[in-house]
Amino acid sequence: MTPEEIKALVRTVPDFPAPGILFRDVTTLISHGKGLSACVDHLADRARAAGAEAIAGMEARGFIFGAAVAARMGVGFIPVRKPGKLPVNTIGIDYALEYGRDRLEIDPTAIPQGQRVVIIDDLIATGGTALAAAELLRMASASVTHALFVIDLPGLHGAARLRDAGLTVEALMDFPGH
Ligand SMILES: O=P(O)(O)OC[C@H]1O[C@H](OP(=O)(O)OP(=O)(O)O)[C@H](O)[C@@H]1O
Ligand SMILES: Nc1ncnc2[nH]cnc12
């Protein structure tokens, strides 16, 4: 399936989780076997080209795509978790969302020194989550140069923020005007 065909599987829900937000819902995409598989293939091709030695994905939707891509590539997966979930000493970072604030944590021992880690998430909006994840992974000595997304909302300028911060950003599709 092409990215255009995969895009047709994304459901748009107005006013979720707050008035004025157009929620781009991947539930309908991941419940479609061929759509999910094609999505994972496209992301894995790009992660391979980026030289990924491990994939990091953000809780929760980043786990779905990130872990599937890591398994398809035969590399490890690093869960970037919401707070209080990991049973070991963590390092963490606070960040702003399109609709609120949150915090991410990782187990710093999960990453060998200098390992090339590619970030994968379902969607980039303001870029706050991905920038926080990149900073956190670097605090744990990862080499982070690429971030891959299924969906970009270019109207929220997240990809531009990541590029300004020196990251290479790719997305399979975008929804202009968010
Ligand atoms: O670019 P940003 O403005 O930071 O927004 C993008 C993030 O927001 C969503 O996750 P959310 O925090 O809603 O969590 P979820 O995956 O648990 O639904 C999405 O999956 C990204 O991780
Ligand atoms: N508009 C949106 N749709 C789905 N997930 C999001 N995360 C942040 N903004 C979002």
Side-chain angles (χ1 to χ4, degrees):
M1 285 179 81
T2 64
E4 224 18 70
E5 290 167 329
I6 298 169
K7 183 174 178 177
L9 298 172
V10 175
R11 170 169 62 190
T12 296
V13 181
D15 299 321
F16 183 88
I21 303 283
L22 273 182
F23 192 83
R24 307 298 183 176
D25 183 17
V26 295
T27 311
T28 39
L29 159 57
I30 61 182
S31 67
H32 189 285
K34 286 197 169 65
L36 176 61
S37 182
C39 213
V40 170
D41 279 340
H42 285 294
L43 291 168
D45 285 349
R46 292 168 192 228
R48 232 176 259 115
E53 297 173 309
I55 301 294
M58 289 79 99
E59 187 170 355
R61 287 174 262 157
F63 287 4
I64 299 165
F65 295 99
V69 169
R72 190 148 302 180
M73 293 177 67
V75 302
F77 176 74
I78 299 156
V80 182
R81 299 222 60 176
K82 299 284 169 69
K85 299 289 188 180
L86 287 166
V88 292
N89 284 332
T90 58
I91 54 173
I93 188 166
D94 295 299
Y95 65 102
L97 276 175
E98 185 186 3
Y99 38 75
R101 289 197 66 74
D102 218 329
R103 180 177 168 81
L104 294 175
E105 294 179 347
I106 58 170
D107 169 4
T109 66
I111 305 164
Q113 176 79 30
Q115 189 177 45
R116 187 182 280 266
V117 177
V118 170
I119 290 172
I120 291 188
D121 205 351
D122 69 320
L123 176 145
I124 180 162
T126 66
T129 306
L131 277 174
E135 194 177 333
L136 193 51
L137 291 161
R138 285 172 176 159
M139 283 161 62
S141 306
S143 164
V144 184
T145 57
H146 286 69
L148 307 178
F149 303 90
V150 179
I151 299 169
D152 179 20
L153 304 183
L156 293 169
H157 310 297
R161 277 179 77 197
L162 262 61
R163 290 186 182 111
D164 286 349
L167 286 163
T168 299
V169 181
E170 294 178 61
L172 302 188
M173 66 191 73
D174 61 14
F175 288 88
H178 65 96

